Amino acid sequence: MKQVDRIERIFTRFRNDDAPLNEPDFDAMWERIEQHRSHSAGMASGHPAAASARRRVSRTAVLATAAVLLTVTPAFAALSDKWAYWTYHSGVRSALEQGLGQQIGKTVSVGDAKLTVDTAVVDDNRTVLLFRLDLPDADPASYPRFAEMKLSDGKGNAIEGNVTFRWNPDDQIWQGEFSADWTPDSLRADVRLSAEKLQIFTAAQRDISIDAEDNRKQTIEIGQDGIDRLVVLPFAQGDKTLLSTSVFFSDKEAQSWSYPSIGVYDGAAQVKEAATGVFGKPGAEGEYTGLQYFRTTDLRGAAVHYKLNYTRKSGEIDGSWSVDLQLDKERMLDGTLTRPIDQTVETAAGPVEFQDMIITPTQIRITGTHEKYKELSFKHFYLEVNGTKLIEGYPSQEAGDYYGFTLRFERQPGLVLSEQTPIALVMNYEVTERQDNNPIHLADIGSGKKTITTQLGGYSVHWTYYMENGNLYIESGSDDPRFGGVNQTYMLDGKHRRYGMPVTANFAGDGNNRAIDRYPHFTGTEADLYIYYYSTDDPDKELRIDLPAPDRQS
C-alpha cells in the first residue's frame, strides 16, 4: 500500500480473520447494494400499519432521463464530458450539455480526503449537486459512503436526499451525486452541504451449506464482520424455489451497510436468479430479511454450492465536511413552464384528479390526488410528447400525505418543448383490489402439507397449509396470471383479528400471485381463514389523457 504513513493517520482499518474470505465479485456487490436500496425505498410508504402488514406496493422505477435543446457554452463543455457519462438522471446530464448547470468549485478537506462540489443543477422540480471525492490511493474495487450527507437551508432545516457514487477511471476519483426532490422557494438560496464520517466498504463472501429441498428452518452461524447468524427457510413454489432469509447481527451498525444475500454457484459460475429478489424488510426481532427466487432445477446440480455475499467495512475517516453554497436557479427558468390540467378520470381505485404539469429543463412533473389511502391502480406511466414516447415515469408520495401524488418523468436529450407542444399521459397495466368476506376452512392441520382449492371472484386459488417448528404456514396462489394475489390473511379470535405474518413481499402488477403467511405458536387442528383483500391484474388495460396546452388567448 502506498503512502501508508498518511493513510494510517486517517483510516481506521477493520480486520476479522475468524473465517477465510473468498475473492468477491465487486460488480455484483454494487448491483446488490442498489437493488437492496431500491426495494427498501419501494416498501417504505403506503397504507397505515394497522391496515395491512403486507401491502402490494408499486415498484419504484430506476430514474430515467433528458433536457431542452440549447447551445453548449465552452466553459461547460469539459465539465459535461466528465459528468454526463455516468449520472443516473439523463435530465441532469442533458442540462449540463446545454450549459445550464451552476458552477460551484468549492473544496473542503479532512486530512488527505478532499470533497469538491463542482456543479449544482437546480430547477423548479429538484436540486442536484455533483461532487468529487479525492482519496489517496482510492481503490475502484471498494465503495465509499458517508454515514450522513444532507443539505440544510438558511434556517437550519434538514433537506434529505439520495447519494450515489461512481468511479471515474480516467481521473481515478470517485464522483458523487446528491439529489433531492426539493427546490428553493426563491431564485437564490443559501444552503449548507454537510457530510459526516466517510466509510469505505469492500465485498466479502463466506461459504455456507444449504439444503434447498428441506423446507425446515436452517440456521448457519457466521460470527464475523458484525453478522451473528443466518437463518434460511426454503419454499417450493411451482418450478421455482424461494429462499427466505433472516440475518441477525451482533453489530447493529453493520446491519445498515452489509446488504447480505445468498449467492448460488454451479462450479465457478454464479446461478442467475429466476425473479427479482426483495431485501431489507425488518423481521419480528429487527433482523434483516430477504427473499430470493431460483429455478429449482438450477439448485440440483452436483457442483452447486452456496455463499453468503455481503459488504464489509474496511476503513473509515471520522471527520466532518461542510460547504456553504448559494444556489441559483434563475438560468433554468427560461425553460420552465406550468400547465394546468384540471382533469378527473375514473379508475379501479376511484376517481383520480390530475392538477398541474410542471416542465423544467431536467424533468416533467405531474401532480394529482386520489382517494385517501388509495394507490394509483395503473402501474406503468408514460408521456407522449408530440408523438414521441418518453421513458417510463414513476409515482411518489410525501410522507403523511394520503391523498396527493406526483408523477416524475426525466426529459430526454434533444427534446424541445413549448407551451403549445402536444403532450399526453398514457397509463397501462391496471390492478384492481377486491373484497371477499367468506371464510376458508382449513381442516386436519398438521405437519403434512394439505392443499385445497377455493374460488375468489371466479378465479381458482390454491391454498397449501402445514405446521413447521410450531408455526402454521399458509401458501396461496393461482395458475391464472390475471389473479394478482392475496394481500394478507387473518383469523378471528372473537372480534379480534389475528393477522398472519407475511413471509413473502409482493409488488402490485409484478406477475407473481404466490404469497405465504405464517401464524406463530398455532395450536389448533382447524381454522377459518379470512382475506384482507385480493387483487386482479389487467395488463392490457390502457388509459390515455391528453394534457391541454394553455389557451393562446388567455
Side-chain angles (χ1 to χ4, degrees), residues 345-373:
V345 297
E346 291 296 329
T347 72
V352 175
E353 180 185 358
F354 293 95
Q355 298 171 327
D356 294 295
M357 176 169 57
I358 300 93
I359 302 170
T360 72
T362 70
Q363 200 177 62
I364 300 174
R365 177 164 53 96
I366 294 174
T367 61
T369 59
H370 49 54
E371 291 185 356
K372 189 174 184 179
Y373 299 139

Side-chain angles (χ1 to χ4, degrees), residues 518-538:
R518 177 173 67 92
Y519 288 84
H521 313 298
F522 184 84
T523 56
T525 58
E526 294 190 1
D528 283 331
L529 190 70
Y530 297 84
I531 64 171
Y532 187 72
Y533 72 79
Y534 70 95
S535 64
T536 57
D537 290 3
D538 190 349

Side-chain angles (χ1 to χ4, degrees), residues 147-362:
E148 181 182 50
M149 191 177 219
K150 64 181 180 181
L151 272 181
S152 300
D153 64 17
K155 297 180 180 179
N157 298 315
I159 301 160
E160 302 298 332
N162 295 318
V163 181
T164 55
F165 285 91
R166 184 66 58 88
W167 176 252
N168 183 326
D170 297 328
D171 294 340
Q172 295 289 293
I173 59 171
W174 288 97
Q175 289 181 308
E177 181 178 273
F178 178 95
S179 177
D181 292 333
W182 169 88
T183 184
D185 294 330
S186 57
L187 290 180
R188 296 173 182 84
D190 293 325
V191 299
R192 170 172 290 184
L193 178 68
S194 58
E196 302 288 335
K197 189 181 291 186
L198 177 63
Q199 301 163 327
I200 308 298
F201 300 96
T202 55
Q205 292 180 321
R206 171 73 177 268
D207 289 324
I208 56 176
S209 178
I210 295 174
D211 184 350
E213 296 188 351
D214 185 349
N215 67 350
R216 292 175 296 181
K217 182 172 71 173
Q218 303 170 42
T219 300
I220 304 162
E221 300 296 331
I222 304 298
Q224 66 186 48
D225 294 323
I227 301 175
D228 180 45
R229 67 190 186 278
L230 165 70
V231 176
V232 182
L233 195 58
F235 293 92
Q237 294 201 315
D239 61 350
K240 298 182 183 67
T241 295
L242 165 63
L243 297 182
S244 173
T245 58
S246 299
V247 181
F248 295 82
F249 288 82
S250 56
D251 179 358
K252 290 300 181 183
E253 191 178 9
Q255 187 163 343
S256 68
W257 66 61
S258 290
Y259 307 111
S261 67
I262 301 298
V264 181
Y265 298 84
D266 190 351
Q270 186 163 2
V271 174
K272 184 179 179 180
E273 296 185 36
T276 303
V278 179
F279 303 90
K281 179 184 174 184
E285 300 177 44
E287 68 274 19
Y288 185 100
T289 68
L291 300 169
Q292 294 177 256
Y293 298 85
F294 298 91
R295 293 179 183 83
T296 301
T297 53
D298 289 343
L299 303 181
R300 290 175 175 168
V304 168
H305 57 286
Y306 300 86
K307 298 177 185 290
L308 175 65
N309 295 328
Y310 65 97
T311 305
R312 70 196 302 256
K313 184 163 71 171
S314 59
E316 182 174 285
I317 301 176
D318 192 4
S320 299
W321 294 255
S322 63
V323 184
D324 291 324
L325 311 169
Q326 185 178 73
L327 301 180
D328 187 342
K329 63 179 181 180
E330 184 174 9
R331 296 186 66 205
M332 305 288 275
L333 294 185
D334 289 340
T336 299
L337 305 169
T338 298
R339 284 165 53 162
I341 301 174
D342 297 329
Q343 290 192 46
T344 300
V345 297
E346 291 296 329
T347 72
V352 175
E353 180 185 358
F354 293 95
Q355 298 171 327
D356 294 295
M357 176 169 57
I358 300 93
I359 302 170
T360 72
T362 70

Side-chain angles (χ1 to χ4, degrees), residues 38 56 74 78 103 106 139-140 143 147 253 257 259 274 304 313 344 352 360 370 382 404 417 420 428 490 495:
S38 176
R56 295 183 64 86
Q103 293 189 69
K106 286 191 173 184
D139 183 1
Y143 189 84
E253 191 178 9
W257 66 61
Y259 307 111
V304 168
K313 184 163 71 171
T344 300
V352 175
T360 72
H370 49 54
Y382 303 90
L417 287 174
Q420 300 301 317
N428 58 33
Y490 64 91
K495 294 183 178 180

